[in-house]
Amino acid sequence: LRKERRLQQFTSYLFKLQQQRWSLKAILEATTAGKLNIAYEAAYLLGDADSCLNILVKSHRLGEAAFFARVYTPSRLAEIT
């Protein structure tokens, strides 16, 4: 009985995490030019480094983009500099 309860809790936790990922993806896809900070945060929470970098470049934050690329996507650093 105890193991079943723990399994139910774990399953519920995994389902909540998946719902959060879907919500973050929806936010990321729905953001427009005026909401780039929200799009960046959603991409960062999803672990999508390429989207983060693209958003920084699109918003003309090249200094931050270069730093981000150096740390998280070194292969794309040449695109920034």
Side-chain angles (χ1 to χ4, degrees):
L1 184 65
R2 190 176 193 183
K3 285 184 180 181
E4 289 177 15
R5 178 74 178 142
R6 291 173 92 188
L7 181 61
Q8 286 176 337
Q9 289 174 337
F10 184 69
T11 304
S12 175
Y13 176 72
L14 288 178
F15 182 72
K16 287 178 185 176
L17 285 177
Q18 186 61 38
Q19 284 181 321
Q20 289 174 351
R21 278 189 69 83
W22 290 332
S23 297
L24 288 173
K25 285 182 181 180
I27 290 170
L28 179 58
E29 292 170 2
T31 50
T32 58
K35 309 279 190 221
L36 291 175
N37 56 339
I38 296 170
Y40 175 84
E41 187 67 25
Y44 186 80
L45 290 172
L46 285 168
D48 188 353
D50 286 323
S51 289
C52 286
L53 186 58
N54 292 338
I55 291 166
L56 289 171
V57 170
K58 184 177 179 180
S59 61
H60 306 290
R61 297 167 75 174
L62 299 180
E64 291 166 297
F67 183 76
F68 186 89
R70 184 171 185 202
V71 174
Y72 294 102
T73 56
S75 62
R76 293 190 58 198
L77 184 59
E79 295 174 29
I80 312 303
T81 56

